[in-house]
Amino acid sequence: MRGNILGERFVVTSFGESHGKCVGAVIDGCPAGLKLEEKDIQKELDLRRPSNTLISTSRKEEDLVEILSGTFEGYTTGAPICALVWNKDVRSRDYDLIREHPRPSHADYYAYVKYGGFNDYRGGGRFSGRITVGFVIAGAIAKKLLMETLGIEIIGYTVEIGGVRAEKFTLDEAKKLRYLNEVRAPSRMAAEEMKTRILEARRQGDSVGGIVECVATGLPIGLGEPVFDALDSDLAKALMSIPGARGVEFGAGFKAAKMTGSQHNDPLVIKNGSITSEKNDAGGVIGGLSTGMPLIVRVAFKPPSSIAIKQKTVNLRSMKEAEIAIPGRHDASIVPRAVPVVEAMVAVVLADHALRAGLIPSILGGRKTGDLR
Amino acid sequence: MRGNILGERFVVTSFGESHGKCVGAVIDGCPAGLKLEEKDIQKELDLRRPSNTLISTSRKEEDLVEILSGTFEGYTTGAPICALVWNKDVRSRDYDLIREHPRPSHADYYAYVKYGGFNDYRGGGRFSGRITVGFVIAGAIAKKLLMETLGIEIIGYTVEIGGVRAEKFTLDEAKKLRYLNEVRAPSRMAAEEMKTRILEARRQGDSVGGIVECVATGLPIGLGEPVFDALDSDLAKALMSIPGARGVEFGAGFKAAKMTGSQHNDPLVIKNGSITSEKNDAGGVIGGLSTGMPLIVRVAFKPPSSIAIKQKTVNLRSMKEAEIAIPGRHDASIVPRAVPVVEAMVAVVLADHALRAGLIPSILGGRKTGDLR
Amino acid sequence: MRGNILGERFVVTSFGESHGKCVGAVIDGCPAGLKLEEKDIQKELDLRRPSNTLISTSRKEEDLVEILSGTFEGYTTGAPICALVWNKDVRSRDYDLIREHPRPSHADYYAYVKYGGFNDYRGGGRFSGRITVGFVIAGAIAKKLLMETLGIEIIGYTVEIGGVRAEKFTLDEAKKLRYLNEVRAPSRMAAEEMKTRILEARRQGDSVGGIVECVATGLPIGLGEPVFDALDSDLAKALMSIPGARGVEFGAGFKAAKMTGSQHNDPLVIKNGSITSEKNDAGGVIGGLSTGMPLIVRVAFKPPSSIAIKQKTVNLRSMKEAEIAIPGRHDASIVPRAVPVVEAMVAVVLADHALRAGLIPSILGGRKTGDLR
Amino acid sequence: MRGNILGERFVVTSFGESHGKCVGAVIDGCPAGLKLEEKDIQKELDLRRPSNTLISTSRKEEDLVEILSGTFEGYTTGAPICALVWNKDVRSRDYDLIREHPRPSHADYYAYVKYGGFNDYRGGGRFSGRITVGFVIAGAIAKKLLMETLGIEIIGYTVEIGGVRAEKFTLDEAKKLRYLNEVRAPSRMAAEEMKTRILEARRQGDSVGGIVECVATGLPIGLGEPVFDALDSDLAKALMSIPGARGVEFGAGFKAAKMTGSQHNDPLVIKNGSITSEKNDAGGVIGGLSTGMPLIVRVAFKPPSSIAIKQKTVNLRSMKEAEIAIPGRHDASIVPRAVPVVEAMVAVVLADHALRAGLIPSILGGRKTGDLR
């Protein structure tokens, strides 16, 4: 109970279930005067939809967003923005099996205990990846706000799937290529290998994990409110809230643990009259503050727990051990679809901190024609 | 500005600077009736002090805690607990150099920009590892609360330093050995190798990073308030707030990204009439909820940025490139001293969530003699 | 920007505008297992609708509630509950006049400045009394929760309208009569006089203010978290958020300022073996804690600012002084319709504090038939 | 448990007890670069001390403030400011009587129940007026911040004591006179009559209530974040947190309930090219937003509950009815001493909202000599 609200100044309240009427979010704290229409959000939601060939779930998610409040004549008003996607292709009978047989490594059983069996178990309910629709809605608004006010750009891509690692690519290549392939890889070669790996897993009725990397450019120095609301602290929290996330790291991350100070430290230099660092093992955040260098964060995702391979579980009614093979065609990897979600959460946190730091005005300029003043 | 408050029900407000009068914390939300004296906190603070042989900083930190409010006749009262350590051995003149020459990969320059040069730069001020004194104070209270009400135990240790990995140890061994060696390793062999690695780095004027692993046992099922206040989300945030943390992972963590679902999933079985899982790659948290299995979290720490080796930096006054070699005998690795800090933050988050879940009563039993009732 | 979220454990996020698509709320933190259907909310919303004879606004507000999330098979699930009313009879053209001519003592001009003219001015937008639909939705859930778990009952009524004061009535009479008359008065005589006063004001194109009193019975001792989240502090905040509220007082309230301690103090006595007080000038809250006596709070409402009488205003386009007479048939008094809104906000705050105090379990009993366990 | 933290951006954490080691506050969120020394706070604390002739408590409260953190070289650093007053003249034995005999209309009994008898009952502990020392500390900082950045001035005074009402005075007179008399009255005549009324009550072993009015000038238009964090909502919450407060009202307040719309509405006019209102029955806040007119708020205080006259109470040990006459020379009215406390809370809320509205920069100008840049 209580825990579905994120942020201090750009505040996201998440609601909705996988097989309920809708999934959505209320965003409180977006400044007035941001040009915002449903198509601005829709294009992000479209990136979250499963690809045609990797398609794993047979569920057709058109995912058309509807803005219910907070905009007027095409602009945000400063009022809370409620936006949602109506669930359509919901076949609840598919989930009767799950009611009695919690899926291993899924939240089924733990939610059943926590909520006394009252939770909407269909499709995982609140624990479904589908709730990230609301994340992407909030992220789309945050992204637009960041780009139009501070020129901050957020670029996510898949760096690893099922052990296949993308190597040798530039940020420019990643930016250009990632949404041109189904796995959101930053290079063509990686895209091919990763796709092969996913299809192989699917053939075996199995699934694979992976890693999403996300870079944000254009950050000013000093975003973050240490010690507890440090920029990396808040990013870690938001990113770990994505279903399936198992770890988060910044810059050199876990590799930093193997480095010496003289290797890891980023020397300070002057470039074009400004202080910057020669390299960026810090991943753009030091002492919980943005450094002005690109923010680099990686999120590890586990392989989806719903697999066709038979697994041990328990029958909740008989309290006897049982077996389960999850029917249907589930995502063999959520990593490609997690890319826009990671971007969304990074955007939400950056927008929150940019507002907290007073870097975004509470009224955006560019009044439309017909302005009274 | 604003960001020094953590938690919803067990709320920690951090204050103090490295070279100011004190470092401490206010803990708001601790139930009434917890037996609490200064010695309960002191023993945790003592574990945080530098070891005699690894000693890197010449600063003598006695670190005697003083409770200023919130207890009465040896018990917590339900009122906010303010407790602190008075700074003693503070030689500020050591830091004149730093005022002009920000240390690479330290917060010096970014804090200077964020706070307009008004920040207390001495010893890193708010960005010093010394502020974790306040974390340990709060953690000591949280630990006691968790143990006495729910029997939850928290065991941290060093699993990696400078590339040396502790292998082949049991939790029992770790629990017994970690505080018997200076590096807080879970096995004697690892302790020796790690110590050697640290001393080698120190000889070279360099520093090394490492990884702390922390296990919490005795957790009930269902701690965590997804989607945003998921247990792992809040742990990740709290742990990333420790100075030097660069990544956090749960259970299989980043390795999960390389696994298949059939490998990673933890099969559900019945043991002694209760549902549990055969293994624990989830690290005790699934869908943001505790599973009842031991919580397993790892935090990667970078090598300390203060090294004696000469590095490039910039002179803030002349705005010219310069060189800096950090004087004094700094920690060649903060990992050993980070162990009790990691434990503290895990305890704070678990106490917060246990209270949120209503598992800890607002008045603890065991009234002392002389009770009116 | 940001400010539409209320509460710590029973958290209400308000959204929607007077002339937008809908008005509603997301309630996060309601325990799982509360029987909740739309009709439970609808009956409270129906009390908020204007009466047939006092009817002042020609707007037909059917106000049918729709629950979008958070319930499953007739019970709350522990997930956030999004519920709303779709706006139907919205004639926006009525409000063209207001765009240029802010109404005196209405938020029009101040919102125009704060939101840079981007705010949805139609019908006052977010500043309309219509947003209290969301308050009543949240309050209906809170009321049901309080009654079913703690037996707390909340009884609001009109004690004063346009200078007419209700006198000589008992709480039982108030409870029985208040919703049997259009002005929500606690006695028949008061109801007649108040109605006459309102109709008189309407004939004159004017409006009248008044006072709502609200009593809550069945409270345990000790609700409230002083010093800042004192019970009366949080009630005052929530009640002042109702459009038109100008003051709040508890028990003897402002009259206490004229009393001596020997008059005002409520002597402690023993009744049926329990400690209670002989009288209740404290209004059930002392030191920010509930005393176990009935909570008594009063809210003063100003006369509605929209009146047909001509008033001075300013033309925002020409920046010249002008005159305005508000067209349409507006509420000549909002007090009768404010009664269920006051009850709602009291319920929301009490539910929040009962949850904070751990008095309401996180899973409610009474599992329905077909429970797995 | 938990409830001692106020604000979103200028956040006050209160700690300390009447007879513990100290009373104080941590202020998180004050911008860097505010000139702040102990004397800036001390002068406000001095106003809170009891007067020589009205002196009611024999306790000598020197109340010297000590800043423990958050300032450096005379300026705020952006870090949390911990400041406190060490309790000195603490005679705990005076309070043995109270342990067994809760004082009527004091929090004694309700705190005893809520905290299971663990609360520090001496002098009321956390429920003593003495905790307002921490409020005044926070308020002193907020006041300085508001004056130096926005020119906002806050002027409180006593408008009523024991039924004696101050009449016919201007704000200028109030500002000049209030701290020149012991009762903080806005006119000499009122001061005399009020003082007489207090002394009379004291002679009778009784106490009297009263009303504090507080005006804030220089506010911009648009402070406040409706609907829930409306300016008047947050002020009401903060002011009701002052021990003894029983009601809060804005502008015409409870009188507005008796007015018609045509009387109460403040006509909009143009003065010196700007839109303003002809009068200010709104008290400077409409729709939860500041209007640019002076903010006018009144707080009703009950008569102190500690009186020398014999009252009925209960013996907690024997659970039998008893009598109590509070020994010692207690405040016969807290109103004069509440004036700076009301000012402090108004300042804290205004600072919080000015920061939320982005009207105060996160770094204040006026760098001192020797600035690096």
Side-chain angles (χ1 to χ4, degrees):
Chain A
M1 307 175 309
R2 163 76 174 91
N4 296 283
I5 301 173
L6 185 74
E8 293 282 323
R9 278 288 285 100
F10 187 91
V11 187
V12 180
T13 300
S14 165
F15 63 87
E17 293 89 10
S18 176
H19 284 57
K21 285 188 182 173
C22 60
V23 278
V26 180
I27 295 91
D28 193 14
C30 185
L34 180 72
K35 207 167 175 347
L36 185 73
E37 292 173 286
E38 274 143 1
K39 66 178 185 207
D40 297 314
I41 300 171
Q42 194 60 53
K43 71 177 183 200
E44 298 287 333
L45 282 173
D46 290 347
L47 295 175
R48 192 194 151 278
R49 290 175 55 202
S51 80
N52 284 329
T53 57
L54 288 177
I55 239 175
S56 10
T57 116
S58 59
R59 181 167 174 177
K60 283 187 205 114
E61 301 178 277
E62 253 187 305
D63 289 353
L64 295 180
V65 71
E66 182 178 358
I67 298 176
L68 298 192
S69 72
T71 62
F72 179 51
E73 298 180 348
Y75 289 81
T76 59
T77 61
I81 302 165
C82 182
L84 51 72
V85 163
W86 298 102
N87 288 330
K88 279 184 178 154
D89 182 32
V90 173
R91 280 178 294 174
S92 297
R93 63 179 184 282
D94 291 5
Y95 290 95
D96 283 349
L97 175 70
I98 286 166
R99 178 161 221 180
E100 292 186 18
H101 299 85
R103 292 164 291 177
S105 288
H106 208 290
D108 295 346
Y109 176 59
Y110 315 107
Y112 169 80
V113 172
K114 183 174 183 73
Y115 303 107
F118 285 103
N119 59 306
D120 183 351
Y121 57 85
R122 298 170 301 164
R126 281 294 288 167
F127 296 86
S128 164
R130 184 146 181 79
I131 58 152
T132 61
V133 161
F135 296 13
V136 171
I137 288 172
I141 300 170
K143 270 185 184 179
K144 201 159 190 294
L145 182 64
L146 289 166
M147 175 52 83
E148 297 191 6
T149 57
L150 299 172
I152 291 175
E153 191 174 11
I154 294 163
I155 305 133
Y157 42 85
T158 304
V159 279
E160 191 177 310
I161 278 187
V164 178
R165 185 94 187 182
E167 303 200 56
K168 290 180 197 149
F169 59 90
T170 65
L171 184 59
D172 276 345
E173 285 164 3
K175 199 166 136 182
K176 212 170 62 188
L177 287 169
R178 68 210 169 106
Y179 284 126
L180 297 181
N181 64 74
E182 295 154 308
V183 292
R184 314 311 188 197
S187 76
R188 272 192 209 92
M189 204 175 72
E192 277 314 303
E193 289 178 40
M194 287 174 179
K195 187 174 163 184
T196 304
R197 185 69 193 89
I198 293 176
L199 293 172
E200 178 197 27
R202 221 182 62 197
R203 260 195 318 275
Q204 296 164 343
D206 213 338
S207 64
V208 284
I211 299 174
V212 174
E213 184 167 275
C214 188
V215 177
T217 61
L219 270 68
I221 293 176
L223 286 191
E225 305 298 336
V227 291
F228 296 129
D229 296 352
L231 186 60
D232 38 359
S233 301
D234 279 358
L235 283 164
K237 175 179 165 74
L239 292 166
M240 284 304 302
S241 298
I242 304 175
R246 306 271 64 206
V248 175
E249 62 176 13
F250 296 84
F254 274 82
K255 269 185 202 149
K258 296 189 197 298
M259 296 167 82
T260 62
S262 57
Q263 290 167 335
H264 183 266
N265 284 356
D266 299 326
L268 292 169
V269 293
I270 293 181
K271 212 178 269 180
N272 306 323
S274 298
I275 297 173
T276 183
S277 66
E278 239 176 24
K279 59 186 190 65
N280 187 21
D281 271 325
V285 54
I286 291 180
L289 300 175
S290 62
T291 65
M293 295 290 279
L295 176 82
I296 304 173
V297 60
R298 277 176 299 280
V299 188
F301 288 95
K302 68 174 186 179
S305 45
S306 292
I307 55 175
I309 295 173
K310 207 172 276 183
Q311 302 174 82
K312 280 195 209 168
T313 185
V314 164
N315 183 311
L316 290 181
R317 204 179 295 273
S318 67
M319 278 299 280
K320 289 198 174 139
E321 298 194 350
E323 283 187 332
I324 189 170
I326 318 293
R329 294 166 66 210
H330 291 276
D331 283 328
S333 178
I334 53 160
V335 175
R337 301 181 63 190
V339 169
V341 181
V342 167
E343 287 186 4
M345 294 318 278
V346 169
V348 162
V349 173
L350 291 178
D352 193 41
H353 276 279
L355 282 159
R356 289 178 71 171
L359 297 176
I360 298 180
S362 62
I363 307 167
L364 304 183
R367 289 294 285 119
K368 60 220 136 114
T369 333
D371 182 4
L372 276 176
R373 296 174 308 171
Chain B
M1 307 173 307
R2 161 78 173 92
N4 296 283
I5 301 173
L6 184 75
E8 294 281 324
R9 279 287 285 99
F10 188 91
V11 187
V12 180
T13 300
S14 165
F15 64 87
E17 293 88 11
S18 177
H19 285 56
K21 286 188 181 173
C22 61
V23 278
V26 181
I27 294 92
D28 193 13
C30 186
L34 179 72
K35 206 164 174 352
L36 185 73
E37 292 172 284
E38 274 142 3
K39 66 179 184 204
D40 297 314
I41 300 171
Q42 194 60 52
K43 69 177 185 199
E44 298 286 334
L45 282 173
D46 290 347
L47 296 174
R48 192 195 152 277
R49 291 176 53 201
S51 81
N52 284 327
T53 57
L54 287 177
I55 240 172
S56 8
T57 116
S58 59
R59 179 169 175 175
K60 284 188 204 109
E61 302 177 277
E62 253 187 304
D63 289 354
L64 295 180
V65 71
E66 182 178 357
I67 299 178
L68 298 191
S69 71
T71 62
F72 179 52
E73 298 179 348
Y75 289 82
T76 59
T77 61
I81 302 164
C82 183
L84 53 71
V85 164
W86 298 102
N87 289 330
K88 278 181 181 160
D89 181 35
V90 172
R91 282 178 292 173
S92 296
R93 63 180 184 281
D94 290 5
Y95 289 97
D96 282 349
L97 175 71
I98 284 164
R99 178 161 222 182
E100 292 187 19
H101 298 88
R103 291 164 292 177
S105 289
H106 208 293
D108 295 345
Y109 176 59
Y110 314 108
Y112 169 80
V113 172
K114 183 175 184 71
Y115 303 107
F118 285 102
N119 59 305
D120 181 351
Y121 56 85
R122 298 170 303 163
R126 281 296 287 167
F127 296 87
S128 163
R130 184 145 181 80
I131 57 152
T132 62
V133 161
F135 296 15
V136 171
I137 288 171
I141 300 171
K143 269 186 184 178
K144 201 158 189 294
L145 183 65
L146 290 166
M147 173 53 80
E148 296 191 6
T149 57
L150 300 171
I152 292 174
E153 192 174 11
I154 295 163
I155 306 133
Y157 42 86
T158 303
V159 281
E160 192 177 308
I161 279 189
V164 178
R165 185 96 186 179
E167 305 202 55
K168 290 181 196 146
F169 61 90
T170 64
L171 184 58
D172 276 344
E173 286 164 3
K175 200 165 135 182
K176 212 171 62 189
L177 288 169
R178 67 211 170 105
Y179 284 125
L180 297 181
N181 64 75
E182 295 155 309
V183 291
R184 314 311 188 197
S187 76
R188 270 190 211 95
M189 204 176 73
E192 277 313 303
E193 289 179 40
M194 287 174 179
K195 188 174 161 184
T196 305
R197 185 71 194 87
I198 293 176
L199 293 173
E200 179 197 24
R202 223 183 58 197
R203 260 194 318 276
Q204 296 164 345
D206 213 338
S207 63
V208 283
I211 298 174
V212 173
E213 184 167 276
C214 188
V215 177
T217 60
L219 270 68
I221 293 176
L223 287 192
E225 307 297 337
V227 293
F228 295 129
D229 296 353
L231 186 60
D232 39 358
S233 301
D234 278 357
L235 283 164
K237 174 179 166 75
L239 292 166
M240 286 303 302
S241 298
I242 304 173
R246 305 273 61 207
V248 174
E249 63 176 12
F250 296 84
F254 273 83
K255 269 185 202 149
K258 294 187 196 302
M259 295 166 83
T260 63
S262 56
Q263 291 167 333
H264 184 266
N265 284 356
D266 298 327
L268 291 169
V269 293
I270 292 181
K271 212 179 269 180
N272 304 325
S274 297
I275 297 173
T276 183
S277 66
E278 241 175 22
K279 60 185 190 66
N280 187 21
D281 271 324
V285 55
I286 292 180
L289 300 176
S290 62
T291 65
M293 295 290 279
L295 176 82
I296 304 172
V297 61
R298 276 177 298 280
V299 188
F301 288 94
K302 67 173 187 181
S305 44
S306 291
I307 55 175
I309 295 173
K310 207 172 276 185
Q311 303 174 80
K312 281 194 209 169
T313 184
V314 165
N315 183 311
L316 290 181
R317 205 179 295 272
S318 68
M319 277 300 278
K320 288 198 174 140
E321 299 195 350
E323 283 186 331
I324 189 171
I326 318 292
R329 294 166 67 209
H330 292 276
D331 284 328
S333 178
I334 52 161
V335 174
R337 299 182 65 190
V339 169
V341 181
V342 167
E343 287 186 4
M345 295 317 279
V346 169
V348 162
V349 173
L350 291 179
D352 193 42
H353 276 279
L355 282 160
R356 289 178 70 171
L359 297 177
I360 298 179
S362 62
I363 306 167
L364 305 183
R367 288 295 285 120
K368 62 221 137 118
T369 332
D371 182 3
L372 276 177
R373 295 174 309 170
Chain C
M1 309 171 309
R2 166 78 173 89
N4 296 281
I5 301 172
L6 184 75
E8 292 282 322
R9 279 286 286 100
F10 187 91
V11 188
V12 180
T13 301
S14 164
F15 64 86
E17 292 89 10
S18 176
H19 285 57
K21 285 187 182 174
C22 60
V23 278
V26 180
I27 293 91
D28 193 13
C30 186
L34 179 72
K35 205 165 178 349
L36 185 72
E37 292 174 284
E38 275 143 359
K39 65 178 184 205
D40 296 314
I41 300 171
Q42 194 60 52
K43 70 177 183 198
E44 297 286 333
L45 281 173
D46 290 347
L47 296 175
R48 192 194 151 277
R49 291 176 54 202
S51 80
N52 284 328
T53 56
L54 287 177
I55 241 173
S56 10
T57 116
S58 60
R59 181 167 175 178
K60 285 189 205 109
E61 301 178 277
E62 254 186 306
D63 289 354
L64 295 180
V65 71
E66 182 178 358
I67 298 177
L68 298 190
S69 73
T71 63
F72 179 51
E73 299 180 347
Y75 288 82
T76 58
T77 62
I81 302 165
C82 182
L84 53 71
V85 163
W86 299 102
N87 289 330
K88 278 180 176 159
D89 181 35
V90 174
R91 280 178 294 174
S92 298
R93 64 180 182 281
D94 291 4
Y95 290 95
D96 281 349
L97 175 70
I98 285 165
R99 179 162 220 178
E100 292 187 17
H101 299 87
R103 291 165 292 177
S105 288
H106 206 292
D108 295 346
Y109 175 60
Y110 314 107
Y112 169 81
V113 172
K114 183 173 183 72
Y115 302 107
F118 285 103
N119 60 305
D120 182 351
Y121 57 85
R122 297 171 302 163
R126 281 295 287 168
F127 296 87
S128 164
R130 185 147 180 78
I131 58 152
T132 61
V133 161
F135 295 14
V136 171
I137 288 172
I141 300 170
K143 270 186 185 179
K144 203 161 187 294
L145 183 64
L146 289 168
M147 173 54 81
E148 297 191 5
T149 57
L150 300 172
I152 291 174
E153 191 174 11
I154 295 163
I155 305 132
Y157 42 86
T158 304
V159 280
E160 189 177 310
I161 279 188
V164 178
R165 186 95 185 181
E167 304 202 53
K168 290 181 198 150
F169 60 90
T170 65
L171 183 59
D172 276 344
E173 285 164 3
K175 200 166 136 181
K176 211 170 64 187
L177 287 170
R178 67 210 169 106
Y179 284 126
L180 296 182
N181 65 73
E182 296 154 308
V183 290
R184 312 313 187 197
S187 75
R188 269 190 210 95
M189 204 175 73
E192 277 313 302
E193 288 178 41
M194 287 174 178
K195 187 173 163 184
T196 303
R197 184 70 193 88
I198 293 176
L199 293 173
E200 178 198 26
R202 221 182 61 197
R203 260 194 319 275
Q204 296 164 343
D206 213 337
S207 63
V208 284
I211 299 174
V212 174
E213 183 167 275
C214 187
V215 177
T217 61
L219 270 69
I221 292 176
L223 286 191
E225 306 297 337
V227 290
F228 296 129
D229 296 353
L231 187 59
D232 39 358
S233 301
D234 279 357
L235 283 165
K237 175 179 165 75
L239 292 166
M240 284 304 302
S241 298
I242 304 174
R246 305 272 64 206
V248 175
E249 63 175 12
F250 296 84
F254 273 83
K255 269 184 201 149
K258 295 187 196 300
M259 295 166 82
T260 63
S262 56
Q263 290 167 335
H264 184 265
N265 284 356
D266 298 327
L268 291 171
V269 292
I270 292 182
K271 213 179 269 181
N272 305 324
S274 297
I275 297 173
T276 184
S277 65
E278 240 175 24
K279 60 186 190 64
N280 187 21
D281 270 325
V285 55
I286 292 179
L289 300 175
S290 63
T291 65
M293 295 289 279
L295 175 82
I296 304 172
V297 60
R298 277 177 297 279
V299 188
F301 287 94
K302 69 174 187 179
S305 45
S306 292
I307 54 175
I309 294 173
K310 206 172 278 186
Q311 302 173 82
K312 279 195 208 169
T313 184
V314 164
N315 184 311
L316 290 181
R317 204 179 294 273
S318 67
M319 277 300 279
K320 290 199 173 137
E321 298 194 351
E323 284 186 331
I324 188 170
I326 318 293
R329 294 166 67 210
H330 292 275
D331 284 327
S333 178
I334 52 161
V335 175
R337 299 182 65 190
V339 169
V341 180
V342 167
E343 287 186 4
M345 296 316 279
V346 169
V348 162
V349 173
L350 290 178
D352 193 41
H353 276 279
L355 283 158
R356 289 178 71 170
L359 297 177
I360 298 179
S362 62
I363 307 166
L364 303 183
R367 287 296 286 120
K368 60 220 137 115
T369 333
D371 183 2
L372 277 176
R373 295 175 306 170
Chain D
M1 311 168 308
R2 164 78 174 89
N4 296 283
I5 301 172
L6 183 75
E8 294 282 322
R9 280 287 286 97
F10 188 92
V11 188
V12 180
T13 300
S14 165
F15 65 86
E17 293 88 11
S18 176
H19 283 57
K21 287 188 180 173
C22 60
V23 278
V26 181
I27 294 91
D28 192 14
C30 184
L34 179 72
K35 206 164 175 354
L36 185 74
E37 293 172 284
E38 275 142 2
K39 66 179 183 201
D40 298 313
I41 299 171
Q42 194 59 54
K43 69 177 185 200
E44 297 286 334
L45 282 173
D46 290 346
L47 296 175
R48 192 196 150 276
R49 289 175 56 200
S51 81
N52 283 328
T53 56
L54 287 178
I55 237 173
S56 9
T57 116
S58 59
R59 180 167 175 175
K60 284 189 205 111
E61 303 179 274
E62 253 187 305
D63 289 354
L64 295 180
V65 72
E66 182 178 356
I67 299 177
L68 298 191
S69 72
T71 62
F72 179 51
E73 298 179 347
Y75 289 82
T76 59
T77 61
I81 302 164
C82 183
L84 53 71
V85 164
W86 298 102
N87 289 330
K88 279 180 179 160
D89 181 34
V90 173
R91 282 178 291 174
S92 296
R93 64 180 184 281
D94 292 5
Y95 289 96
D96 283 349
L97 176 72
I98 285 165
R99 178 161 221 181
E100 292 187 18
H101 299 87
R103 291 164 292 178
S105 288
H106 207 293
D108 295 345
Y109 176 60
Y110 314 108
Y112 169 81
V113 172
K114 183 174 184 72
Y115 302 107
F118 286 102
N119 59 303
D120 182 351
Y121 57 85
R122 297 170 303 165
R126 281 296 287 168
F127 296 87
S128 163
R130 185 146 179 79
I131 59 154
T132 60
V133 161
F135 296 14
V136 171
I137 289 171
I141 300 171
K143 269 186 184 178
K144 201 159 188 294
L145 183 64
L146 289 167
M147 173 54 81
E148 295 190 8
T149 57
L150 299 172
I152 291 174
E153 190 174 11
I154 295 164
I155 305 133
Y157 42 85
T158 303
V159 279
E160 191 177 309
I161 278 189
V164 178
R165 185 97 187 178
E167 305 202 54
K168 288 182 197 146
F169 61 89
T170 66
L171 184 59
D172 276 345
E173 286 165 2
K175 200 166 135 182
K176 212 171 60 187
L177 288 169
R178 64 208 171 107
Y179 284 126
L180 296 181
N181 64 75
E182 294 155 308
V183 291
R184 313 313 188 197
S187 75
R188 270 189 210 96
M189 204 175 73
E192 278 313 302
E193 289 179 39
M194 288 173 179
K195 188 173 161 186
T196 304
R197 184 71 194 86
I198 293 176
L199 293 173
E200 177 198 26
R202 221 183 61 198
R203 259 193 319 274
Q204 297 164 344
D206 213 338
S207 64
V208 284
I211 299 173
V212 173
E213 184 167 276
C214 187
V215 177
T217 61
L219 271 68
I221 292 176
L223 286 191
E225 305 298 336
V227 291
F228 296 128
D229 296 352
L231 186 60
D232 37 0
S233 301
D234 279 358
L235 283 165
K237 175 179 165 74
L239 292 167
M240 284 304 302
S241 298
I242 304 174
R246 305 272 61 205
V248 176
E249 63 175 13
F250 295 84
F254 273 82
K255 269 186 201 148
K258 296 189 197 300
M259 296 166 81
T260 62
S262 56
Q263 291 167 333
H264 184 266
N265 284 356
D266 298 326
L268 292 169
V269 293
I270 293 181
K271 212 179 273 181
N272 305 324
S274 297
I275 296 173
T276 184
S277 65
E278 243 176 19
K279 60 186 189 66
N280 187 21
D281 271 324
V285 54
I286 291 179
L289 300 175
S290 62
T291 64
M293 295 289 279
L295 175 82
I296 304 172
V297 60
R298 275 177 299 279
V299 188
F301 287 94
K302 68 173 187 181
S305 46
S306 293
I307 54 174
I309 296 174
K310 206 172 278 186
Q311 302 173 81
K312 280 193 209 171
T313 185
V314 165
N315 183 311
L316 289 180
R317 204 178 295 273
S318 66
M319 278 299 278
K320 289 196 174 139
E321 298 194 350
E323 283 186 331
I324 189 170
I326 319 291
R329 293 167 67 210
H330 291 277
D331 283 328
S333 178
I334 52 162
V335 174
R337 301 181 64 191
V339 169
V341 181
V342 167
E343 288 186 4
M345 296 315 280
V346 168
V348 162
V349 173
L350 291 178
D352 192 42
H353 276 280
L355 282 160
R356 290 178 70 171
L359 296 177
I360 298 179
S362 61
I363 307 167
L364 304 183
R367 289 294 286 119
K368 59 220 136 119
T369 332
D371 183 3
L372 277 176
R373 295 171 309 168

